[in-house]
Amino acid sequence: MKNKLSALLLATSLVCGSSQAVILYDQDITPDVIFGSGNANGSFTTEQNNGIELGLRGKLRHNAAGQPENTFNSNGDGTYSFNAGVAPTQSAPTAQWSFEWSINSDYSGDDNFNFMLADLSFVLGLDTDPSLSTDFLTFDLIHGIEPIANSVCWDHSMGDNGTGNGAGTEVSGCRSADAGVAAAATAAYATNLTDFNVAQNSWKPHWFIPGFDPTIDATYDFYLAAFDAQGQQLARTQIQIIVGSGGATQVPAPTPLLLLGIGLLAVLLSRKRVFS
């Protein structure tokens, strides 16, 4: 069952790798928000551990005019609240909100770690269940197959600790129907993974969540985790997006034993009516 994220995290302490890390709320990410233009830093739920910084946040993607806005609706505890409904000027199933993520595999420049994006794996967990239960869809958002391009080639903004706001490097052509263009883009993306330690993006939920319905009250959990080559978790952060009044408690399906008991009770009541 889902609980409010602050309760789930208790004192926000998690043990990852060999040292203790703490999830922090309403933080700036390092070095800045490097995707797009006009996107403000701040309101990220972050963890910094083993030289790695991971961040997640919710964002008002479509305001009343249908435009993106630097409004994040953070509740200060790793949860973000947004209205239910189809986004203004958009068609279903586009929600009013999006989620944004940031990976910095070497945020401190510490020589004891000094990871590049190519050195680690990164798992994004997307909760596909709008109720208070969870059902995670997971994939490596750096080294995994991009669904439309059908190759390891994403349009993430990438950079290093000196990259300024909106100044990330993106690969174009990943989804090209021209095989030569697509192959060149895939090769460029692989090179960027060895050259850069920062990757970021802003995604709409219906791009990934099957059957997503923006009009219902819901609670969605998201997590982002980094792992070394041995599969050891080195860092992890997580958030909840609360839509409208939030998800409802899911009623468990009757167990076989309970169903048997109900059946026997029905037989007894039937017999009682017959013989009374």
Side-chain angles (χ1 to χ4, degrees):
M1 284 291 183
K2 295 177 187 173
N3 295 306
K4 196 169 178 64
L5 196 60
S6 55
L8 258 174
L9 297 176
L10 299 177
T12 73
S13 292
L14 295 175
V15 176
C16 296
S18 59
S19 59
Q20 188 169 357
V22 177
I23 285 186
L24 300 175
Y25 308 122
D26 295 336
Q27 299 295 300
D28 286 345
I29 50 172
T30 310
D32 204 330
V33 175
I34 66 172
F35 58 83
S37 61
N39 293 303
N41 208 342
S43 294
F44 280 90
T45 299
T46 65
E47 182 181 85
Q48 296 177 336
N49 199 29
N50 294 307
I52 303 162
E53 177 189 84
L54 302 178
L56 288 168
R57 72 180 178 186
K59 180 179 180 176
L60 181 61
R61 178 60 182 82
H62 296 283
N63 61 17
Q67 298 301 309
E69 187 175 293
N70 285 314
T71 298
F72 309 108
N73 292 344
S74 169
N75 298 311
D77 59 358
T79 68
Y80 301 78
S81 297
F82 298 94
N83 293 330
V86 175
T89 76
Q90 304 297 306
S91 58
T94 303
Q96 299 178 31
W97 57 277
S98 62
F99 65 97
E100 299 182 333
W101 57 264
S102 175
I103 294 169
N104 190 328
S105 58
D106 185 26
Y107 80 94
S108 63
D110 188 337
D111 290 338
N112 291 322
F113 301 106
N114 205 229
F115 297 118
M116 305 305 284
L117 292 168
D119 297 326
L120 304 171
S121 60
F122 302 91
V123 174
L124 178 67
L126 303 177
D127 181 13
T128 64
D129 188 337
S131 77
L132 292 180
S133 296
T134 55
D135 185 8
F136 284 104
L137 169 69
T138 62
F139 59 94
D140 188 326
L141 73 176
I142 299 296
H143 304 286
I145 300 293
E146 201 276 346
I148 298 177
N150 197 31
S151 65
V152 184
C153 188
W154 300 78
D155 65 352
H156 307 328
S157 294
M158 297 187 190
D160 56 30
N161 290 342
T163 304
N165 183 271
T169 297
E170 294 91 27
V171 170
S172 62
C174 291
R175 300 176 177 179
S176 176
D178 185 311
V181 172
T186 300
Y189 180 81
T191 298
N192 286 348
L193 295 184
T194 62
D195 290 346
F196 294 131
N197 60 286
V198 178
Q200 299 174 4
N201 218 327
S202 178
W203 283 346
K204 297 181 181 182
H206 74 271
W207 291 347
F208 299 95
I209 298 177
F212 177 77
D213 183 350
T215 67
I216 63 175
D217 292 342
T219 301
Y220 296 103
D221 284 32
F222 298 78
Y223 71 82
L224 178 60
F227 299 85
D228 64 16
Q230 290 71 45
Q232 180 183 18
Q233 181 175 291
L234 302 180
R236 175 182 169 118
T237 189
Q238 59 195 66
I239 64 171
Q240 280 185 350
I241 302 290
I242 301 171
V243 182
S245 300
T249 301
Q250 190 174 65
V251 179
T255 65
L257 186 59
L258 178 59
L259 290 172
L260 177 62
I262 294 172
L264 290 174
L265 179 60
V267 171
L268 289 174
L269 291 174
S270 176
R271 289 172 62 87
K272 184 176 181 180
R273 285 195 298 270
V274 169
F275 293 108
S276 60

